[in-house]
Amino acid sequence: MDERPEMELMSIPTTPRVSTPEILTPTGQRSPRSIRLGGSKDQTKSSWTPTSLISPRFLSPIGTPMKKVIVNMKGYLEEVGHITKLNPQDAWLPITESRNGNAHYAAFHNLNAGIGFQALLLPVAFSYLGWSWGIIALTIAYFWQLYTLWVLVQLHEAVPGKRYNRYVELAQAAFGERLGVWLALFPTVYLSAGTGTALILIGGETMKLFFQIVCGPACSSNPLTTVEWYLVFTSLSIVLSQLPNLNSIAGLSLVGAITAIVYCTIVWVLSVSQMRPPSMSYQPISSPTATASTFSIFNALGVIAFAFRGHNLALEIQATMPSTFKHPAHVPMWRGAKVAYTLIAMCVFPVAIGGFWAYGNLMPSSGILNALYGFHNHDISRGLLATTFLLVVFNCLSSYQIYSMPVFDSFEAGYTSRTNRPCSIWVRSGFRVLCGFISFFIGVAFPFLSSLAGLLGGVTLPVTFAYPCFMWALIRKPPKYSFSWYLNWTLGWLGIAFSLAFSAGGIWSTVNNGLKLRFFQSN
């Protein structure tokens, strides 16, 4: 008969439970601590724990400083309960080098990644889709990507004892080691590199317009060419990219988020407050053939899909946060993401609707910012226009850093895995200079911003809209034919079909604009 006190008996659970507190290590992995249940009182007392030898009797002959150290170690071991094998490579890479993030950092990073120059292109998509289909497509895309973002946040620690710190790691867990790399590596790297290229195009062109506004029509200095402005922007981006890791650019993400919200608000408010062009119309832009119209619509939908890119950074942002059994990382991450995407909705919908209302089918392919400058540069004060353009430049410089971080991480992961040592300052700087100039040369070779946005949206659409749904179905395994099972498989395959269609539209528009540019250059 067990004679233990009543309170002791009440404290022992009747069903086995496994607690998985997390040690704060570079890998962020968790391992379960086994709990011995049942048995006699003597057996319970005789069970060994990591702190069995650290008792007051053992500590009594030791001096005070050493005693404090060992007592602190005892408390740490009692709280953690296990020793996790470290993976030193995670401590050397930019994504997982620092784990002191919080909900505020998550909001800054998600805002910086989720809003920016791509919002300025949404009126271009409306000029091909019209009012009804434009609003419907934008609304569906917003709520669809919000659901898949929640899926990624929940799947970050879907398996006990494991954190998926990168998008490719989660894809490998869902689709298999080899297939996951093939499916996820190309679109995520292409999205990061393609966004960096588009940022160079937007940033360089905006710097050129800013210089023209500040200098004025009577300026006597020799202006730089567009390609030279691209080079200036690339050089500034490379200087800022020397910050070591994702957490270290939280201040830049805050600057990028604030500037994006401010200039989006200024742009649509100025657009709707001015007189509309007399020859504008709200009829969708027509193409000479049905095939051209179809591809133009697909490209416009790809622009809307590209407006909600950023999910390739969700797991990486969450990986910068500490996570324990009592305080998992998904709680602050989702809190910050909700704030960020509420503000994103308050920016992208007014820009898309207000921009199309102000300019209709006269919207240039380069976006609402160029429309504002082209139609109203004499109606708006130079100071306000210059401030708006400067905010766009600051936002592009900030966004370039967060989108380039996964590319930097991939380069450094390859180096550290081969050399088994961290990157030196010179090696890390060399990688970042190389990435910056690769994006620069791609931008010079393909200066078709609206077409590039549609192609980026089509090729990388599965990262945001399809893969998370497949991952949820394969990892969480909802009951077959349940609502969750139907929802995720349906959204996943729809995302793949849309990706193929939008990619075709983006390729057609890129080739078409390239032929037009060569024709005008030859004449």
Side-chain angles (χ1 to χ4, degrees), residues 86-335:
L86 303 180
N87 181 5
Q89 187 183 11
D90 278 347
W92 300 337
L93 301 179
I95 300 297
T96 49
E97 191 174 56
S98 174
R99 287 188 188 265
N100 58 356
N102 52 44
H104 299 91
Y105 285 16
F108 302 159
H109 289 317
N110 278 287
L111 267 172
N112 193 25
I115 188 173
F117 76 93
Q118 72 278 8
L120 304 177
L121 298 174
L122 288 174
V124 180
F126 273 53
S127 64
Y128 288 94
L129 298 174
W131 278 117
S132 300
W133 288 110
I135 294 175
I136 291 172
L138 186 61
T139 304
I140 292 175
Y142 176 79
F143 285 103
W144 190 346
Q145 61 85 34
L146 194 63
Y147 168 71
T148 55
L149 177 64
W150 176 83
V151 166
L152 290 175
V153 171
Q154 298 299 318
L155 291 180
H156 180 82
E157 295 175 282
V159 178
K162 174 67 177 175
R163 292 183 70 177
Y164 298 109
N165 297 317
R166 296 163 183 83
Y167 197 98
V168 177
E169 295 178 8
L170 185 60
Q172 288 178 305
F175 305 120
E177 292 289 331
R178 186 170 299 177
L179 183 60
V181 171
W182 281 103
L183 290 176
L185 185 60
F186 171 73
T188 53
V189 173
Y190 180 72
L191 180 58
S192 296
T195 303
T197 301
L199 286 167
I200 289 175
L201 298 179
I202 277 284
E205 292 173 358
T206 308
M207 292 178 75
K208 180 181 178 180
L209 293 175
F210 172 77
F211 178 81
Q212 291 175 355
I213 294 172
V214 173
C215 194
C219 185
S220 60
S221 63
N222 294 324
L224 299 178
T225 64
T226 304
V227 175
E228 289 172 338
W229 281 114
Y230 293 163
L231 184 59
V232 172
F233 182 87
T234 304
S235 301
L236 292 175
S237 300
I238 290 173
V239 171
L240 292 176
S241 69
Q242 302 308 312
L243 293 171
N245 54 60
L246 189 55
N247 264 338
S248 65
I249 65 171
L252 285 177
S253 291
L254 175 60
V255 172
I258 293 174
T259 53
I261 293 172
V262 173
Y263 79 68
C264 283
T265 305
I266 291 176
V267 166
W268 75 262
V269 169
L270 288 178
S271 296
V272 300
S273 63
Q274 301 297 320
M275 292 292 295
R276 288 178 287 178
S279 59
M280 58 161 288
S281 172
Y282 294 124
Q283 291 295 324
I285 297 176
S286 59
S287 299
T289 62
T291 302
S293 298
T294 302
F295 282 124
S296 298
I297 292 173
F298 285 160
N299 182 64
L301 293 173
V303 171
I304 292 179
F306 182 60
F308 296 110
R309 87 276 188 270
H311 285 39
N312 63 311
L313 295 169
L315 296 172
E316 284 80 354
I317 295 171
Q318 195 169 344
T320 63
M321 301 179 184
S323 185
T324 63
F325 180 72
K326 293 183 179 179
H327 303 285
H330 70 83
V331 176
M333 175 64 183
W334 183 239
R335 188 184 305 126

Side-chain angles (χ1 to χ4, degrees), residues 7 36 96 105 126 134 177 195-196 240 285 298-299 304 309 362 411 428 435 440 444 477 480 509 523:
M7 292 301 294
R36 182 173 298 183
T96 49
Y105 285 16
F126 273 53
E177 292 289 331
T195 303
L240 292 176
I285 297 176
F298 285 160
N299 182 64
I304 292 179
R309 87 276 188 270
L362 297 180
F411 273 92
R428 173 171 282 183
C435 292
F440 166 75
V444 172
K477 293 182 173 58
K480 198 171 184 180
S509 185
N523 293 320

Side-chain angles (χ1 to χ4, degrees), residues 95 104 172 243 280 299 307 343 371 376 408 412 430 433 452 467:
I95 300 297
H104 299 91
Q172 288 178 305
L243 293 171
M280 58 161 288
N299 182 64
L343 295 174
H376 305 297
F408 301 156
E412 295 184 28
V433 171
L452 187 63
Y467 289 166

Side-chain angles (χ1 to χ4, degrees), residues 280-439:
M280 58 161 288
S281 172
Y282 294 124
Q283 291 295 324
I285 297 176
S286 59
S287 299
T289 62
T291 302
S293 298
T294 302
F295 282 124
S296 298
I297 292 173
F298 285 160
N299 182 64
L301 293 173
V303 171
I304 292 179
F306 182 60
F308 296 110
R309 87 276 188 270
H311 285 39
N312 63 311
L313 295 169
L315 296 172
E316 284 80 354
I317 295 171
Q318 195 169 344
T320 63
M321 301 179 184
S323 185
T324 63
F325 180 72
K326 293 183 179 179
H327 303 285
H330 70 83
V331 176
M333 175 64 183
W334 183 239
R335 188 184 305 126
K338 286 189 294 184
V339 174
Y341 277 86
T342 301
L343 295 174
I344 289 172
M346 294 171 62
C347 291
V348 296
F349 281 91
V351 167
I353 297 173
F356 185 60
W357 182 88
Y359 306 109
N361 57 8
L362 297 180
M363 176 68 60
S365 60
S366 50
I368 186 175
L369 194 62
N370 289 71
L372 181 67
Y373 180 79
F375 288 106
H376 305 297
N377 61 329
H378 299 296
D379 304 327
I380 302 172
S381 66
R382 287 172 54 191
L384 186 57
L385 273 178
T387 302
T388 304
F389 282 64
L390 189 61
L391 291 174
V392 175
V393 173
F394 287 159
N395 173 257
C396 291
L397 288 171
S398 302
S399 298
Y400 181 87
Q401 309 308 317
I402 192 169
Y403 270 95
S404 298
M405 198 61 71
V407 181
F408 301 156
D409 189 83
S410 298
F411 273 92
E412 295 184 28
Y415 176 86
T416 56
S417 62
R418 291 185 179 183
T419 62
N420 197 26
R421 62 182 180 184
C423 293
S424 65
I425 295 177
W426 299 110
V427 173
R428 173 171 282 183
S429 299
F431 282 147
R432 301 185 180 197
V433 171
L434 177 63
C435 292
F437 281 106
I438 289 175
S439 297

